[in-house]
Amino acid sequence: MPTATVITPEMSGCTGLSLGNVGAMPSLTRAEAVARATLLDIESYRISLVLTEDEPEFESVSTIRFRSGTPGASTFLDCKASELVSVTLNGAVLEDAELRDGRLELTSLQPENEITVVSRMRYSADGEGLHRHVDPADSRSYLYAMSFLDAGPRWFACFDQPDLKAPYDIEVRCPEDWIVLGNGAATRQSAGTWTLATTQPLSTYFVTLAAGPYHSVTAEHDGIPLGLHARASLAEHLDAEAPEMLEVTRRAFDRYHELFGVRYPFGSYHQVFCPDFNAGAMENPGCVTLRDQYVFRSTVTEAERGVRANTIVHEMAHMWFGDLVTMRWWDDLWLNESFAEYMSHRVCSEVTHYPAWTEFGIRRKAWGYIADQSPSTHPVAGNGSADAAAALADFDGISYAKGAAVLKQLVAYLGDDIFLAGLRRYFADHAFANADFADLMQAWNDAGAQHLDEWAAQWLRTSGLDTLIAEPESDSAGVVLTRDAMAGSRRPHAVTVAGFDWDGKEVLTEAVTVAGGPAAPIRISSSKPVALALADSADDSWAKIRFGADGWPAVRQVLPDISNPSSRVVIYNAVRDAVRDADLDPAIALDLVLHAIATESTSIVVADLLGFATTQLAAAFSPPAERPLRLQEVADVADRLLGTATEGTDDQLTAARALIRSTSDSARLHDWLDGSEVPDGLRIDAELRWIVLTRLATLGAIDEQAIAAELDRDRSASGSAHAARARAARPDPDTKRDAWRLLTEPGDTSAYELYATAEGFFQPSQSDLTAEYVPRFFAEMPLTARHRHGWALGRVVLLGYPVSSATRDTLLLAEATLGRADLESGVRRSLVDGTDSLRRAVDSLDRYGQIRT
């Protein structure tokens, strides 16, 4: 077990002012934020940075002008420096200035103040603060800044909270062949010196820059300068992908201008594709940062292109929701994410050919359903986050998917005219400032909305899901719709009820509203016999869907012939949810899903269902002895799909990926790596080679030398992450030991390699080999909070959670760990969510776990 290390000024080589305690730093509380916002008015920031290619630290100088409403008062500045060089407040050098827990106490404030903090900061390797990535392809350094949620003070001193907005000026000195980008327009003043123009007022968590020898593609649309940027090693791929990404950007701008009636207010619009990026993207005004996997370097499906397009449109929506008007405190995070999620799927479906709402249903809503049934569930709005760390824990499928689904219902309730009129009023009233939920409600009321309070109370301020059950009447002459409401729920559900005959033909469809409060069953007559009834066939509401006591055989027979993609998605989500609730035998679910996939036409749905079968039904929800058999069933279906797919299509690529991940035929996989027996039209490119190699590693069919050889072939950031995953997946005790050290001990491994290692470690087929690490996971993973934080801390715990060790003993270990009072909040949230998945698998195995003969 590693011991904790407390870094002191002497150990870090600091020669300036005292750093005090630089161990775990407290999270800003709401009470502290309210007090500081009441006291201060920030006039401006001026930031100066000296950036280098290979040193571990950089110089950061922050000059902040601010007013204090109470002369003589005290407050604190946020600064997470490795060395505090000097502090000057109102012309006086503070000789005794000291950082304690990332805070610099300021006393005796004047009505008008100016503070200059000179510090040295560390480049990060975890995707937060000022992240530095050394590209394995050319050994060049690339920097980008990520200030969300409270990472801004890791690269510049600031008053770090969302409701202290101010304009920023930034100057950067860097190597001469670098370019610099940021929120304001960048100007090269001389070789190695850049300035970023004064911004509009921004919250600290939006401030960003990117610096390095980036490759760029530029354009202009409607007077807005556009830029796409990526590492030089991705230049060829960026050039190839730029036309589509720029076209999506242009169309989205036009549509948002039309809908919102407010032009984009932040000047240029750069999109920087960054390595090691934790989120999908970040909505920094004028300079959006995105994960560079979106610069496709291998063959991808139309569905994956659709996800990228949706991400581009999502981040643009934030220019209005979040950037122009920003939440006052983190408990209204949904004002950013739910709106961007709803608007991006709406606009993407309007201005591109991608089926955004299908992706929303099969992937995003499924994510939200899981989050809303976890012990960590919370309302969409008004969670009252006590501190910033608690807010980060609530950054989940509820904030995104549930909020968007609820907003979709709200649009139907209000009508589009009132919905949009309220938003326009909201933007006008709070531009470049902060707002909260009450302000948005007032804007809608002013636009003509009525009775919003009760609707909001039921849909936005309560958590969990009602259950809607539709089943044929006993004589098959109609449908009965009932609601099993959560305790205290009075949610109204406006849904479309459908009935299908045994051939999958829709013989009944009717829009109904299940009233809030106690509701009697609703009976809908049909002129034709109904074999299967479906509540919410258009996927409009937010509810669990069931089919009655005897509904699953009908689902299996009818589902493959249903033509409506929304109806099919609703049924697939019901299958997945019923498995998680132990309402459906996973073996029956596997048969049902594999039977339906044969006729499923939407590639993203096929991919997600095959993934569900591989990673859930043939893994944690299967007895260990039966997992190989179930996995072979998946492989057989994938092989049949591959054999019937048209050459070079999405169907072929989707089937090939699923086959690789489920087959135990190592000889066939080796042939594909060697270019032999590959189906016509299938390219075994860099990404597909790594999928093959990782499966071979899991099967124990390659050694470390083969992984190293592949990494030599693919000297890229993606290659490094893939290699880490493949190493961790090998069924070798020494390899597992090395991977465990990487996960639990301090080091400078990139966040992406840590994530990949965590994903590869606990393989469902290696339960005996990794059994000794299960108790160690619960003993040692919480200790990583001593050297890891933010996104990386919680994500490694969740990705590495041993859910495939689905036994009562593992569950007891998990529950005992959650009983500890000293768990860091991010660790606790990941353990809560991982334990919920584990408990559901254990309950299912207890009920259905007998092995078939």
Side-chain angles (χ1 to χ4, degrees), residues 44-59:
S44 66
Y45 281 85
R46 189 171 70 252
I47 300 169
S48 177
L49 304 170
V50 179
L51 308 177
T52 59
E53 185 122 22
D54 51 11
E55 295 180 8
E57 298 178 343
F58 61 94
E59 180 181 279

Side-chain angles (χ1 to χ4, degrees), residues 753-801:
E753 290 181 50
L754 287 173
Y755 302 155
T757 301
E759 288 173 328
F761 193 88
F762 285 107
Q763 293 292 328
S765 59
Q766 300 170 1
S767 298
D768 291 342
L769 175 64
T770 56
E772 66 176 287
Y773 290 97
V774 173
R776 292 183 63 181
F777 176 91
F778 294 105
E780 297 175 33
M781 273 295 177
L783 302 179
T784 60
R786 296 172 175 174
H787 61 268
R788 201 172 287 150
H789 46 76
W791 293 77
L793 172 60
R795 196 168 182 185
V796 169
V797 174
L798 187 59
L799 291 175
Y801 194 100

Side-chain angles (χ1 to χ4, degrees), residues 403-422:
V406 168
L407 287 175
K408 192 178 179 186
Q409 286 254 318
L410 179 63
V411 173
Y413 174 68
L414 294 179
D416 218 32
D417 290 344
I418 291 178
F419 178 76
L420 291 172

Side-chain angles (χ1 to χ4, degrees), residues 94-348:
L94 304 185
E95 301 289 353
D96 59 349
E98 181 180 19
L99 281 178
R100 289 192 176 277
D101 295 330
R103 296 178 175 184
L104 178 65
E105 295 295 327
L106 305 179
T107 60
S108 304
L109 297 180
Q110 300 176 10
E112 301 282 340
N113 300 273
E114 180 177 290
I115 186 170
T116 298
V117 178
V118 181
S119 62
R120 293 193 63 78
M121 307 275 196
R122 290 188 183 277
Y123 294 108
S124 79
D126 61 8
E128 299 181 72
L130 188 56
H131 179 92
R132 179 164 65 192
H133 172 86
V134 179
D135 191 345
D138 58 14
S139 299
R140 296 303 308 273
S141 293
Y142 293 85
L143 312 180
Y144 64 86
M146 177 64 160
S147 297
F148 182 87
L149 176 133
D150 56 0
R154 293 177 63 179
W155 69 283
F156 68 100
C158 57
F159 296 105
D160 189 30
Q161 60 189 73
D163 60 344
L164 288 178
K165 287 187 166 184
Y168 287 77
D169 288 272
I170 297 180
E171 179 185 71
V172 177
R173 284 179 285 163
C174 61
E176 294 184 5
D177 64 340
W178 284 16
I179 67 167
V180 175
L181 303 160
N183 304 100
T187 302
R188 186 175 184 266
Q189 301 293 351
S190 61
T193 301
W194 295 72
T195 58
L196 301 179
T198 306
T199 68
Q200 296 282 7
L202 305 178
S203 297
T204 48
Y205 79 95
F206 292 136
V207 183
T208 193
L209 65 81
Y214 282 93
H215 174 72
S216 301
V217 176
T218 59
E220 184 174 318
H221 177 67
D222 194 18
I224 304 170
L226 306 177
L228 304 175
H229 314 270
R231 289 173 287 133
S233 62
L234 293 174
E236 173 188 357
H237 307 296
L238 181 65
D239 290 346
E241 298 295 327
E244 179 183 350
M245 293 192 286
L246 288 171
E247 184 60 22
V248 171
T249 301
R250 294 184 186 102
R251 292 183 181 184
F253 264 129
D254 290 345
R255 185 59 175 147
Y256 282 136
H257 286 156
E258 180 182 3
L259 289 171
F260 297 153
V262 178
R263 279 188 61 81
Y264 168 70
F266 296 108
S268 302
Y269 194 75
H270 295 284
Q271 297 174 84
V272 185
F273 296 89
C274 303
D276 308 327
F277 201 76
N278 284 313
M282 178 64 198
E283 65 269 20
N284 313 301
C287 189
V288 175
T289 44
L290 307 93
R291 56 173 52 209
D292 64 5
Q293 288 94 330
Y294 287 134
V295 181
F296 301 131
R297 65 189 194 123
S298 294
T299 306
V300 296
T301 64
E302 279 290 286
E304 288 164 319
R305 291 187 176 277
V307 170
R308 181 179 68 185
N310 197 279
T311 301
I312 290 171
V313 180
H314 178 111
E315 300 311 314
M316 189 182 294
H318 276 306
M319 299 301 118
W320 291 266
F321 292 102
D323 297 4
L324 178 64
V325 183
T326 308
M327 74 233 155
R328 187 165 285 113
W329 179 243
W330 299 112
D331 62 337
D332 275 326
L333 180 68
W334 80 283
L335 291 178
N336 288 16
E337 297 306 339
S338 298
F339 273 95
E341 182 87 347
Y342 167 72
M343 293 305 305
S344 65
H345 283 86
R346 170 175 170 165
V347 169
C348 197

